[in-house]
Amino acid sequence: MVETESKRHFRTSACARMAGCVWTLTLILCVVLWSDFEVQGAKNNYPRLRLSHKELWDLNRTWVFQAGEGVLQHYSMLLDETQERLIIGGKDILYSLNLDRVSAPHSEIHWASSEEQVEQCLMQGREKPECANYIKLIQQYNSTHLLTCGTGAFSPACAYIRVSHSMENRVFQLELEHIESGRGKSPFHPNSPTISTVSRGQLFVGLYTDYWENDAALYRLGNHGYTRTEVGDRQQLNEPKFVGSVAIPDNDDPADDKVYFFFTERVPNTEGGHKAVYSRVARVCANDHGGQRMLVNRWSSFLKARLICSVAGPNGIDTHFDELEDVFVLKKKDEKNPEIFGLFSTTSAVFKGYAVCMYNMEEIRAVFNGPFAHRERADHHWSVYEGKVPYPRPGSCASKINGGQFSSSKEYPDEVLRFVRSHPLMFQPVQPVHRRPILLDTDGRRRLTELAVDRVEAEDGHYNVLFIGTDDSVVLKVITIFNKEANTVEEVLLEELQVFKVPVPITEIIISTKRQQLYVGSEVGVAQVRVHQCGLYGSACADCCLARDPYCAWDGHTCSRYYPAGIYTKRRFRRQDVRHGNAVQQCNGLQLNDAQSVLEKLVYGVEKNSTLLECRPRSLQALLTWYMLKGLDMEEIKGDEHIIQTSHGLLFLTTKKSDAGVYVCQSEEHGFVQTIVRVTLEVLEEERVESLFHRGEYEEKEVQFRSPPCPFPSLPSAPSATKLWYKDFMQLIGYSNFQRVEQYCERVWCASDRKRKKLKGLPPKWRYSQGAERHGKARAPRHTRDH
Ligand SMILES: *[C@@H]1O[C@H](CO)[C@@H](O)[C@H](O)[C@H]1NC(C)=O
Ligand SMILES: *[C@@H]1O[C@H](CO)[C@@H](O)[C@H](O)[C@H]1NC(C)=O
Ligand SMILES: CC(=O)N[C@H]1CO[C@H](CO)[C@@H](O)[C@@H]1O
């Protein structure tokens, strides 16, 4: 049932996409994509939970930092766990925020360009907004200082910031006397993509180094000199867009440490002859000081390979996702073998799709240790280099492991340097784990911009929880489960969190595993969001198991944070099944409470008018079925021209007298069936309703309100029960009668202090609490209300 449903879903979305395609090319493209989806197997496009910004806010799950003027132009961010601060670089300013609560009082440093610099910038023909100091780089420099660099109104500059974490006296101070040139560390242009990483006191940067943005370079900046890519060598870098960088040790010898750079670049003369974009991983030795006579201050170890992220189609035609949007390096206990996640998009102008691919270091190293790519001339095809490879192997570091013969790259033989210069490209591309994306997003609804990953230990294994930022303020929380037998990947969309009030592109996601928080950046501010809130899935065992959230398990009472065995010596009774979400098995015999939590509702329909019976399951992924109670039997309702099943509930287009009865809404998820709501529908004759407004005494007698029928502005935190009732009432009399309802409310409830007092006298759960809503019996049916 679930399978067919999701397949059908695929088909619909494929068709919707089809309509959007420019249609000359559509046929081939959509056919190719079509089959891709079939391969992906079960998938559900709905998140299990969707939370608006307001809901996140009301749940205390988020805090937002907003800069003074309401606009936060942030250009760099650093999570500093030792100082417990989040450092943000903006326009002429740096902020230091509290990691516990980003909205708490913060420190800031104003660092603007001098008046002369701004003047000179304007004289060069630049616009006023560009002529400011945009902070493009913040890195930990040593235990007492951060290094920061900015565009300095097209005159890049760097400075050190003194930080310290004595509790009573927090220091965050720019060392003004040591401002130095920022060439090679910060670009000139505010929006120029820049990446950086620090390894053993050395800074590695990828950036455009010049005013005109012609010179793209990967730099090493140490205390004694620098190393960089060759100026103007398009074999090394060709119009790159820098995405990320990381230092990863190869083994226990620090001399073998490598730094990896991720970027996209143009590849001229591919098969089709047109310029294409490829994603790349490049690597260098962290201790590469260049050559002595040739390649002076140039990498002697620079190699690069193509990063593949594609889905196989029929007839060997693959759909490639070639545009790397973001990269995340998931560090593990074994420092040498982190997992690398790439967020990619298609470069096609016709169809925009996104994919996440995962790579392991074993595969990446194998590619760099594999054959070199070679071609005779620029217009020839690439082939495997089959000649003699010099020793030490180009791309290896000056270290003991490599024989200890060379103490520095400066001692490398010329032929090694010549080879590495002429053969920077590996022949094999880097393939993703499982040789396929772990996540696909092809419905074209939104752009995916950012990616962060957390590794979570659950009862049935480890899971990578992906947090994906979109261009409309949303963070998607997803797990992906690989099924080895079927060779399919299942995506489980756990939560969809709208972290900002207005739709803006998310430009940064930083995760603090230690604090279980995300720090999400956009132009409107920085939001801090807790990565889990288990209680929201519901307190029943089934609700918790069906959620399949590896952070959460049912603890015997409620859905709460799951801690693997060992953290607490006395392990509590836990129920969780991330892989299958099998609530039937996990929660067998624990459903006693559920019978009581079925929501009971009474709804009035007006004859000949439409009526909606609402049914909103906790999970957006549940499949709903409606039944009508016929004696002891339940008869399934099949939609027809009279009754329609909508996402909000069951809609009677023209209510008939014979529709009156008891309706049951059941949800099914992973084979687990539960009743969400039982609705008693009463159908009123049109004339009776009309008379409601004309005969005063009729009101009190006939329509017995169980709770106030209109919102009380004077009562705190408008209870949802009240609102619901108001809605029922509106439905009953029709929206065209709005004015009369207002008057009615005024007369009967709002103006009467006597009545309000009486109401306050009721036990609280009778009044507004959600509990009263859910445990429906607490709501007095209209014939038995007390007087
Ligand atoms: C949120 O926090 C406030 C104050 O810190 C508290 O009064 C309120 O009950 C909290 N709300 C929830 C849903 O936990
Ligand atoms: C860190 O670097 C700064 C700037 O060069 C220097 O003034 C400071 O003494 C250094 N601190 C330590 C502990 O080395
Ligand atoms: C009694 C009642 O609500 N009647 C409404 C039925 O629907 C029509 C058209 O939508 C309304 O005009 C009536 O007021």
Side-chain angles (χ1 to χ4, degrees):
M1 180 82 177
V2 179
E3 288 275 296
T4 18
E5 180 63 23
S6 52
K7 275 240 172 73
R8 195 171 57 74
H9 202 97
F10 271 75
R11 245 152 245 181
T12 359
S13 64
C15 292
R17 208 178 28 257
M18 208 138 186
C21 290
V22 171
W23 73 276
T24 38
L25 284 168
T26 307
L27 216 58
I28 314 159
L29 193 68
C30 286
V31 167
V32 172
L33 290 166
W34 171 270
S35 47
D36 296 339
F37 301 125
E38 299 278 19
V39 186
Q40 284 300 304
K43 166 177 163 174
N44 204 324
N45 274 2
Y46 292 103
R48 195 153 195 291
L49 279 186
R50 176 178 284 149
L51 297 173
S52 67
H53 176 70
K54 180 162 189 317
E55 286 167 317
L56 286 171
W57 191 258
D58 291 344
L59 289 162
N60 293 338
R61 186 158 166 194
T62 192
W63 304 101
V64 179
F65 165 76
Q66 277 169 315
E69 320 84 61
V71 185
L72 177 71
Q73 291 175 302
H74 77 86
Y75 294 84
S76 47
M77 244 193 232
L78 175 75
L79 175 70
D80 184 352
E81 300 247 38
T82 52
Q83 308 279 350
E84 305 184 323
R85 306 300 283 180
L86 183 70
I87 315 292
I88 296 168
K91 179 187 173 187
D92 295 333
I93 198 162
L94 290 124
Y95 301 97
S96 164
L97 309 183
N98 185 331
L99 284 185
D100 287 330
R101 194 170 290 194
V102 292
S103 53
H106 66 274
S107 324
E108 56 187 53
I109 292 172
H110 292 264
W111 181 24
S113 307
S114 67
E115 268 174 46
E116 296 125 62
Q117 280 170 327
V118 173
E119 217 159 276
Q120 201 165 9
C121 177
L122 291 169
M123 264 161 53
Q124 283 168 332
R126 294 288 174 175
E127 300 292 325
K128 182 90 206 244
E130 296 176 302
C131 295
N133 187 25
Y134 292 88
I135 309 299
K136 296 291 287 181
L137 180 146
I138 311 168
Q139 285 290 352
Q140 194 78 45
Y141 184 68
N142 58 28
S143 60
T144 57
H145 286 76
L146 304 176
L147 172 67
T148 182
C149 305
T151 58
F154 285 82
S155 171
C158 290
Y160 297 92
I161 297 171
R162 197 148 67 84
V163 287
S164 75
H165 58 176
S166 64
M167 267 307 151
E168 60 283 358
N169 199 8
R170 199 174 273 287
V171 178
F172 185 60
Q173 207 172 60
L174 197 69
E175 305 274 23
L176 280 167
E177 59 278 17
H178 287 121
I179 292 182
E180 49 189 52
S181 161
R183 289 250 8 202
K185 295 178 191 145
S186 169
F188 284 68
H189 202 279
N191 293 323
S192 184
T194 304
I195 54 174
S196 63
T197 192
V198 166
S199 168
R200 299 183 204 274
Q202 301 188 102
L203 182 65
F204 295 85
V205 192
L207 81 168
Y208 283 83
T209 67
D210 60 330
Y211 182 88
W212 294 110
E213 302 255 293
N214 287 326
D215 179 38
L218 296 171
Y219 259 97
R220 177 192 66 85
L221 298 139
N223 284 331
H224 311 286
Y226 70 93
T227 316
R228 59 159 290 171
T229 43
E230 191 62 82
V231 180
D233 181 352
R234 302 213 158 218
Q235 275 214 85
Q236 281 187 329
L237 295 173
N238 192 4
E239 297 176 45
K241 180 188 84 182
F242 298 109
V243 180
S245 58
V246 62
I248 302 172
D250 244 15
N251 46 56
D252 296 333
D253 183 357
D256 262 330
D257 287 0
K258 307 278 196 313
V259 177
Y260 294 81
F261 299 98
F262 301 89
F263 56 93
T264 63
E265 67 173 345
R266 298 227 159 254
V267 277
N269 294 324
T270 47
E271 284 74 9
H274 64 288
K275 273 193 173 185
V277 167
Y278 277 1
S279 291
R280 299 285 193 202
V281 52
R283 80 171 196 194
V284 295
C285 291
N287 68 357
D288 188 345
H289 286 74
Q292 185 70 31
R293 284 183 305 278
M294 56 183 296
L295 295 191
V296 178
N297 293 335
R298 301 293 180 264
W299 298 112
S300 68
S301 60
F302 177 90
L303 296 176
K304 67 180 179 183
R306 183 178 176 192
L307 271 180
I308 296 275
C309 185
S310 66
V311 276
N315 318 323
I317 306 166
D318 292 355
T319 302
H320 279 273
F321 296 82
D322 275 324
E323 183 86 46
L324 185 63
E325 302 282 350
D326 195 18
V327 67
F328 187 86
V329 179
L330 181 64
K331 305 222 158 127
K332 300 208 283 198
K333 263 206 200 89
D334 176 7
E335 272 185 278
K336 299 187 278 291
N337 290 302
E339 265 163 333
I340 317 269
F341 294 81
L343 170 65
F344 297 83
S345 66
T346 50
T347 50
S348 157
V350 181
F351 149 79
K352 202 77 186 159
Y354 293 86
V356 175
C357 279
M358 181 170 90
Y359 305 89
N360 62 34
M361 289 308 296
E362 203 182 328
E363 164 80 10
I364 293 177
R365 290 193 180 104
V367 166
F368 283 114
N369 291 333
F372 294 91
H374 177 78
R375 61 178 173 183
E376 284 304 320
R377 290 207 316 267
D379 55 349
H380 280 206
H381 278 292
W382 290 102
S383 59
V384 172
Y385 175 77
E386 279 168 338
K388 187 173 168 288
V389 174
Y391 178 86
R393 185 186 155 89
S396 58
C397 309
S399 71
K400 286 193 206 71
I401 297 239
N402 292 312
Q405 215 173 316
F406 308 95
S407 64
S408 158
S409 58
K410 294 194 169 171
E411 295 168 13
Y412 281 172
D414 286 355
E415 66 173 322
V416 169
L417 302 182
R418 254 194 302 270
F419 187 93
V420 85
R421 178 76 206 280
S422 57
H423 294 90
L425 182 65
M426 306 315 299
F427 182 73
Q428 301 287 356
V430 177
Q431 292 285 353
V433 174
H434 310 314
R435 298 214 147 218
R436 61 158 72 218
I438 55 169
L439 181 138
L440 270 180
D441 183 314
T442 49
D443 63 13
R445 271 188 311 149
R446 44 167 68 128
R447 289 196 302 118
L448 305 185
T449 55
E450 289 288 313
L451 173 69
V453 185
D454 192 13
R455 191 161 174 82
V456 183
E457 189 178 342
E459 190 75 31
D460 57 355
H462 285 89
Y463 290 89
N464 296 322
V465 181
L466 312 184
F467 296 93
I468 299 172
T470 70
D471 64 343
D472 60 355
S473 286
V474 165
V475 172
L476 305 168
K477 173 176 158 187
V478 192
I479 55 168
T480 66
I481 298 172
F482 182 64
N483 183 327
K484 210 168 170 183
E485 290 84 58
N487 191 30
T488 53
V489 181
E490 182 189 5
E491 293 167 21
V492 184
L493 182 46
L494 300 168
E495 293 189 286
E496 187 180 305
L497 312 170
Q498 188 207 333
V499 297
F500 297 105
K501 207 151 133 193
V502 292
V504 286
I506 283 170
T507 48
E508 185 83 77
I509 302 181
I510 291 179
I511 185 165
S512 165
T513 301
K514 192 170 143 198
R515 286 163 195 276
Q516 308 267 288
Q517 299 279 351
L518 298 178
Y519 300 94
V520 183
S522 79
E523 64 179 41
V524 296
V526 175
Q528 159 193 0
V529 190
R530 194 142 36 98
V531 295
H532 52 74
Q533 193 154 9
C534 301
L536 294 183
Y537 293 120
S539 58
C541 177
D543 287 328
C544 196
C545 277
L546 287 170
R548 303 172 76 189
D549 188 328
Y551 290 110
C552 305
W554 195 67
D555 61 10
H557 301 285
T558 184
C559 196
S560 63
R561 175 79 172 97
Y562 172 82
Y563 293 100
I567 288 185
Y568 295 128
T569 41
K570 221 171 81 189
R571 212 177 124 205
R572 289 163 77 192
F573 162 90
R574 318 265 11 210
R575 299 287 168 105
Q576 186 195 49
D577 180 12
V578 178
R579 183 159 268 273
H580 306 289
N582 189 339
V584 181
Q585 194 186 53
Q586 292 289 319
C587 306
N588 194 12
L590 296 167
Q591 297 309 315
L592 294 169
N593 288 338
D594 278 9
Q596 292 155 11
S597 72
V598 173
L599 176 61
E600 301 263 355
K601 267 209 242 175
L602 176 62
V603 167
Y604 298 98
V606 176
E607 210 182 344
K608 298 200 194 94
N609 269 28
S610 60
T611 306
L612 179 72
L613 305 188
E614 275 191 288
C615 178
R616 297 200 182 223
R618 216 182 272 279
S619 164
L620 298 175
Q621 292 173 356
L623 283 177
L624 297 185
T625 315
W626 280 92
Y627 298 93
M628 190 181 186
L629 229 55
K630 292 268 167 81
L632 289 177
D633 290 334
M634 297 210 302
E635 192 172 282
E636 185 178 339
I637 292 169
K638 303 261 196 288
D640 53 25
E641 63 279 2
H642 167 57
I643 307 177
I644 302 171
Q645 261 202 54
T646 73
S647 56
H648 294 277
L650 199 61
L651 179 67
F652 295 81
L653 288 178
T654 34
T655 314
K656 290 185 282 197
K657 200 89 185 115
S658 60
D659 289 331
V662 178
Y663 293 84
V664 175
C665 172
Q666 285 193 340
S667 77
E668 193 216 301
E669 224 179 339
H670 294 280
F672 185 82
V673 177
Q674 58 182 331
T675 299
I676 308 285
V677 63
R678 278 164 65 104
V679 191
T680 305
L681 173 66
E682 292 197 13
V683 180
L684 304 180
E685 287 157 29
E686 231 178 329
E687 304 80 58
R688 272 176 80 205
V689 178
E690 278 301 315
S691 62
L692 194 88
F693 299 101
H694 305 302
R695 290 170 44 198
E697 78 281 8
Y698 193 74
E699 296 158 1
E700 293 271 351
K701 217 168 83 220
E702 192 67 20
V703 186
Q704 302 272 351
F705 296 114
R706 299 153 291 181
S707 54
C710 48
F712 279 87
S714 55
L715 292 177
S717 64
S720 51
T722 310
K723 277 195 191 146
L724 257 181
W725 222 99
Y726 186 56
K727 225 158 70 189
D728 285 356
F729 188 74
M730 287 301 283
Q731 194 183 312
L732 174 67
I733 55 102
Y735 284 82
S736 51
N737 285 316
F738 185 75
Q739 284 256 282
R740 280 193 280 171
V741 184
E742 291 286 277
Q743 286 164 8
Y744 178 83
C745 287
E746 194 108 314
R747 263 208 329 274
V748 181
W749 295 98
C750 306
S752 161
D753 268 354
R754 184 180 56 83
K755 282 238 169 65
R756 206 182 299 167
K757 275 195 194 110
K758 188 175 157 197
L759 189 81
K760 276 185 180 163
L762 290 174
K765 69 168 183 175
W766 280 58
R767 281 187 287 159
Y768 316 112
S769 75
Q770 281 244 291
E773 251 307 302
R774 281 198 65 76
H775 302 277
K777 299 225 169 67
R779 264 184 156 197
R782 66 183 194 135
H783 300 300
T784 59
R785 185 177 180 256
D786 60 332
H787 290 276

